[in-house]
Amino acid sequence: MATHMSRCRGWSRVQRFGIAAYRKYSSGSRYPNISLSAPLPGIPKPVFASVDGQETYETRITVLENGLKVASQNKFGQFCTVGILVNSGSRHEAKYPSGIAHFVEKLAFSSTAQYGSKDEILLTLEKHGGICDCQTSRDTTIYAVSAEVKGLDTVVSLLSDAVLQPRLLDEEIEMTRMAVRFELEDLNMRPDPEPLLTEMIHAAAYRGNTVGLPRFCPADTVDTIDKKVLHSYLSNYYCPERMVLAGVGIEHEQLVECARKYLLDAKPVWGASAGANVDLSVAQYTGGIVKMEKDMSDVSLGPTPIPELTHIMIGLESCSFLEDDFIPFAVLNMMMGGGGSFSAGGPGKGMFTRLYLNVLNRHHWMYNATAYHHSYEDSGLLCIHASADPRQVREMVEIITREFIQMAGSAGEMELERAKTQLKSMLMMNLESRPVIFEDVGRQVLSTGKRKLPHELCDLISNVTASDIKRVSTKMLRSKPAVAALGDLTELPSYEHIQAALSSKDGRLPRMYRLFR
């Protein structure tokens, strides 16, 4: 009976797909041999989406009556990312104790007028599968929530409350002081010195002004920041014309409606925002050196300890992200690339960048050589971070200064095309992530009032030529260097010698003659 049923099933399949669709294999099993190129019988003809030349997911921007900008980009899916970006950060703390932005970041999404505690906020978000986060940088503060689209009304209401109605209770401020102190300890103890070096290079490049002010709260001002100081700062900088409500994955009309409902007539807990004492200082690049002598021998103990290293970062002034030269500088940064000596990967990871080919591949004793580009609305900084054994610091500094000088030479066609392709690839890959699109939309609208779309940026990258790279490099080399040094600095050349090397034709340090070694 079973054999008969099996034969019947086999015959029905033959009738449906044709005799050639089935072949008998040596195992005795039957496997369908369905063509992958010919359409299947009985299947409706598919209808494919077509591109009509218009950008379907164009960023839409609306400015409310109170000056608040609402920007959105539709992206189909069940979840959305919505947040408020404020033009406020550590660069605006010249008239206040340093570290307010650091405190604001830690205090975000604590108790508000509507919610009694952080737990209540998290429970409310959990009903919509949501998470929240706050991040501050030198020039921007971002409050963001990712949640289900149907919870948009709750999300915008919660954001409005978190930004404009925080309670800032004494116990919350005390807990923040503890968190800040712990973070400062961790910053000085962690094996990766990059955050500390970035802080130091900014302090050296913009001594005592704007983006050179400390991003992390200094230990001596932790106890001076209280509710009164925070309210004074927030009343100046948290005003609607300095804010953007950005959303990705939602309809623009819906977001504008929620903005009108919760943010148009919202009264901040600190009273009316005057915005009279806003610091409008323009970044003044000074150059200089910041040194920190530190014993790095016990940074990472264990079965495979990290060897004792000295870390050097050398930077030169580039340009603001509002200038046309920003794109050539981004390509130059990608062309320099770099990484750690134990970094694995292929061409896509940067193994053909200059700092790999000219530095890490030739000098086995160097542990790291990486290029970074920091750009702000009025200035920028292109720097190279390198690390090696303390006895070889002088040689390492000379290798880096030579790389800076060679930037102004002619760029090869192949390496330039590779850098441009890699930059476009990185841009497009990052913009597949919803939170990254949110941040891109928010930051661009906050700084320029509009958004350049990815294909526009790709066109600008494609138009960069070798002469552009040479021009921006030559201009950059005219600025004074900024130097940050961390670790055993016995062999570190003087600042004047580093400056002389960057002014020379070959990037070599002036020779030193010692009577005794």
Side-chain angles (χ1 to χ4, degrees):
M1 182 69 182
T3 309
H4 176 70
M5 290 294 289
S6 173
R7 281 178 184 163
C8 286
R9 275 199 298 270
W11 177 245
S12 67
R13 286 173 185 161
V14 169
Q15 285 181 315
R16 188 175 171 191
F17 296 107
I19 293 172
Y22 273 77
R23 287 181 184 159
K24 195 167 184 177
Y25 293 89
S26 57
S27 61
S29 62
R30 296 176 184 276
Y31 195 83
N33 184 22
I34 299 166
S35 168
L36 296 178
S37 54
L40 292 171
I43 303 293
K45 191 179 179 182
V47 179
F48 297 104
S50 60
V51 180
D52 58 0
Q54 295 295 316
E55 181 63 63
T56 318
Y57 303 132
E58 194 173 347
T59 305
R60 296 179 62 188
I61 302 164
T62 301
V63 183
L64 300 188
E65 291 80 357
N66 62 354
L68 176 83
K69 297 181 190 76
V70 182
S72 76
Q73 177 126 342
N74 208 347
K75 180 180 167 70
F76 299 109
Q78 191 181 350
F79 284 80
C80 64
T81 299
V82 181
I84 293 176
L85 294 91
V86 190
N87 187 359
S88 147
S90 59
R91 69 170 293 162
H92 300 109
E93 293 171 359
K95 300 174 186 174
Y96 295 90
S98 286
I100 290 178
H102 196 181
F103 263 69
V104 166
E105 179 182 283
K106 300 292 171 207
L107 284 163
F109 296 104
S110 296
S111 64
T112 67
Q114 194 178 332
Y115 300 94
S117 67
K118 190 163 195 163
D119 289 342
E120 270 189 50
I121 289 177
L122 295 176
L123 283 168
T124 305
L125 285 174
E126 271 182 24
K127 291 173 188 172
H128 300 285
I131 53 169
C132 62
D133 187 29
C134 176
Q135 291 181 351
T136 58
S137 61
R138 295 178 192 280
D139 54 2
T140 315
T141 302
I142 303 174
Y143 297 79
V145 173
S146 285
E148 281 187 310
V149 177
K150 61 186 179 186
L152 180 65
D153 193 87
T154 307
V155 165
V156 177
S157 165
L158 190 151
L159 280 166
S160 170
D161 224 39
V163 175
L164 301 173
Q165 302 279 335
R167 285 186 183 171
L168 305 179
L169 302 173
D170 290 342
E171 55 264 34
E172 289 173 347
I173 292 174
E174 194 51 50
M175 284 291 287
T176 301
R177 287 194 183 114
M178 288 170 63
V180 167
R181 284 193 190 100
F182 171 79
E183 207 163 290
L184 292 175
E185 278 181 40
D186 179 60
L187 192 68
N188 288 306
M189 290 167 64
R190 60 168 62 182
D192 174 25
E194 200 263 321
L196 188 57
L197 278 167
T198 302
E199 188 80 352
M200 290 165 68
I201 196 82
H202 278 83
Y206 304 92
R207 195 170 290 276
N209 75 89
T210 57
V211 292
L213 297 173
R215 177 167 147 13
F216 298 101
C217 182
D220 55 347
T221 64
V222 172
D223 291 319
T224 62
I225 297 172
D226 55 18
K227 188 173 181 176
K228 186 181 175 184
V229 172
L230 288 165
H231 273 186
S232 169
Y233 177 84
L234 294 170
S235 66
N236 277 320
Y237 290 96
Y238 277 45
C239 42
E241 56 271 18
R242 295 180 67 85
M243 292 183 187
V244 169
L245 173 67
V248 175
I250 31 86
E251 295 289 340
H252 187 69
E253 290 75 17
Q254 255 185 302
L255 190 62
V256 171
E257 187 185 326
C258 289
R260 290 187 183 280
K261 188 175 175 183
Y262 296 109
L263 290 161
L264 186 58
D265 300 314
K267 297 285 184 285
V269 71
W270 46 82
S273 296
N277 294 320
V278 169
D279 183 8
L280 299 174
S281 306
V282 175
Q284 300 296 317
Y285 182 87
T286 60
I289 186 166
V290 172
K291 297 190 280 191
M292 188 186 286
E293 286 271 2
K294 190 179 176 188
D295 179 14
M296 306 284 279
S297 58
D298 58 350
V299 163
S300 175
L301 302 172
T304 53
I306 295 174
E308 183 183 356
L309 299 172
T310 294
H311 301 272
I312 306 292
M313 199 179 261
I314 300 174
L316 294 167
E317 187 181 19
S318 59
C319 71
S320 101
F321 57 67
L322 299 174
E323 294 177 46
D324 293 338
D325 283 346
F326 173 66
I327 300 292
F329 269 116
V331 174
L332 175 63
N333 177 53
M334 192 59 72
M335 199 161 76
M336 297 309 293
S341 57
F342 297 110
S343 198
K349 187 110 182 275
M351 298 299 248
F352 284 102
T353 58
R354 284 192 183 182
L355 292 180
Y356 260 113
L357 293 175
N358 302 348
V359 178
L360 293 170
N361 289 358
R362 292 184 186 178
H363 308 283
H364 62 90
W365 44 268
M366 281 189 69
Y367 279 78
N368 195 309
T370 314
Y372 296 96
H373 187 215
H374 305 278
S375 200
Y376 305 97
E377 63 183 4
D378 45 13
S379 187
L381 188 66
L382 185 89
C383 42
I384 296 177
H385 166 212
S387 51
D389 186 278
R391 291 165 295 184
Q392 291 172 299
V393 168
R394 184 177 175 84
E395 197 177 342
M396 171 173 70
V397 169
E398 188 170 85
I399 287 165
I400 298 307
T401 54
R402 273 165 35 200
E403 284 304 311
F404 269 113
I405 294 296
Q406 283 168 19
M407 287 182 194
S410 56
E413 187 183 341
M414 188 179 285
E415 72 168 342
L416 181 62
E417 283 306 314
R418 184 182 281 122
K420 283 155 66 172
T421 305
Q422 207 169 333
L423 182 58
K424 286 187 275 190
S425 158
M426 191 179 76
L427 173 74
M428 300 309 288
M429 196 161 60
N430 285 339
L431 287 172
E432 286 181 12
S433 164
R434 192 181 61 248
V436 175
I437 301 172
F438 156 76
E439 192 172 335
D440 182 50
V441 169
R443 281 182 181 276
Q444 286 202 49
V445 173
L446 189 66
S447 57
T448 65
K450 57 181 193 271
R451 183 186 180 222
K452 273 184 183 164
L453 295 164
H455 65 82
E456 294 177 71
L457 292 170
C458 285
D459 289 344
L460 290 171
I461 293 166
S462 298
N463 293 335
V464 173
T465 62
S467 62
D468 290 329
I469 300 293
K470 187 172 183 175
R471 177 176 52 78
V472 297
S473 301
T474 307
K475 177 185 166 189
M476 178 179 70
L477 285 163
R478 293 194 198 112
S479 63
K480 284 176 69 179
V483 182
L486 176 68
D488 179 351
L489 308 179
T490 314
E491 295 293 318
L492 179 70
S494 67
Y495 178 76
E496 290 72 24
H497 280 192
I498 295 171
Q499 194 171 359
L502 288 167
S503 304
S504 67
K505 286 184 178 179
D506 56 3
R508 292 186 181 278
L509 290 163
R511 295 300 97 191
M512 283 180 68
Y513 300 100
R514 295 179 186 175
L515 195 57
F516 302 103
R517 290 216 173 250

